[in-house]
Structure formats: structure tokens, C-alpha cells
Amino acid sequence: MKRKRFSEEQIIRILKEGDAVGNIREVCRLHNITEQTYYRWRNKFGGMEVSDAKRLKGLEKENAELKKLVAELTLDNRMLKDVVSKKW
């Protein structure tokens, strides 16, 4: 799995710095990120506080676990239907 260079807290700090300074190119140059990355982060984390980002990360993790659980249960259900439908 790819390791991220910046944590959610660092991303939010960079976004707030960009809003305060107003010169996004300068902020991107200082933190060695592209403007595309800055705007992608702003779409995802814009207007968030650190606590909101931590909560979002927890919800995303929980959502992934639930999706995995649903996939496993669906597979089990299909297998049981196949076994029941066959005549011995």
C-alpha cells in the first residue's frame, strides 16, 4: 500500500496557510506539492478542522469494513442458495 507523505492534520494546516497567504503557488512550492494536489485536498478537506478529519478517517475505515462484511455475506448467501437448489 502506498504511504502518504502528509497526515490529515498537516494537509489541513497547509490548506489554512494557503487561505491565509492567498498565493497558492507559493504555498505549494514551500511544501513541495503540485497545485493539482492542493486543489484535490481542498475539495476533500476544505473547511474541516482536525477533529473532523479524524472523524472522517474513522468513518471511511468503518465503511470499508462494512463493505467487506456485506460482500462476504452475499457470497455465503449465494453458495447456500446453490446448495439448496441442487437435487441430490
Side-chain angles (χ1 to χ4, degrees):
M1 191 166 111
K2 185 176 177 182
R3 183 180 168 271
K4 296 182 180 181
R5 282 181 40 195
F6 297 100
S7 68
E8 286 83 6
E9 294 84 9
Q10 291 171 324
I11 292 171
I12 291 172
R13 183 178 45 81
I14 292 170
L15 291 175
K16 286 187 179 183
E17 182 181 340
D19 291 341
V21 172
N23 189 353
I24 294 173
R25 285 188 176 178
E26 183 66 23
V27 172
C28 292
R29 188 184 63 77
L30 286 173
H31 295 287
N32 197 23
I33 60 171
T34 63
E35 287 185 49
Q36 181 182 6
T37 300
Y38 178 87
Y39 288 114
R40 188 170 14 99
W41 287 350
R42 192 171 76 175
N43 283 339
K44 185 173 183 180
F45 297 106
M48 283 188 174
E49 296 297 325
V50 175
S51 61
D52 296 335
K54 288 182 181 181
R55 184 170 180 259
L56 175 66
K57 186 176 181 180
L59 289 173
E60 287 175 343
K61 184 178 179 180
E62 181 182 357
N63 192 27
E65 291 172 0
L66 290 172
K67 284 182 178 182
K68 184 178 177 181
L69 182 64
V70 167
E72 290 173 358
L73 290 174
T74 302
L75 184 60
D76 290 344
N77 191 5
R78 286 184 183 169
M79 288 188 314
L80 289 173
K81 284 182 179 180
D82 286 345
V83 169
V84 170
S85 67
K86 289 185 180 182
K87 293 185 179 180
W88 298 96

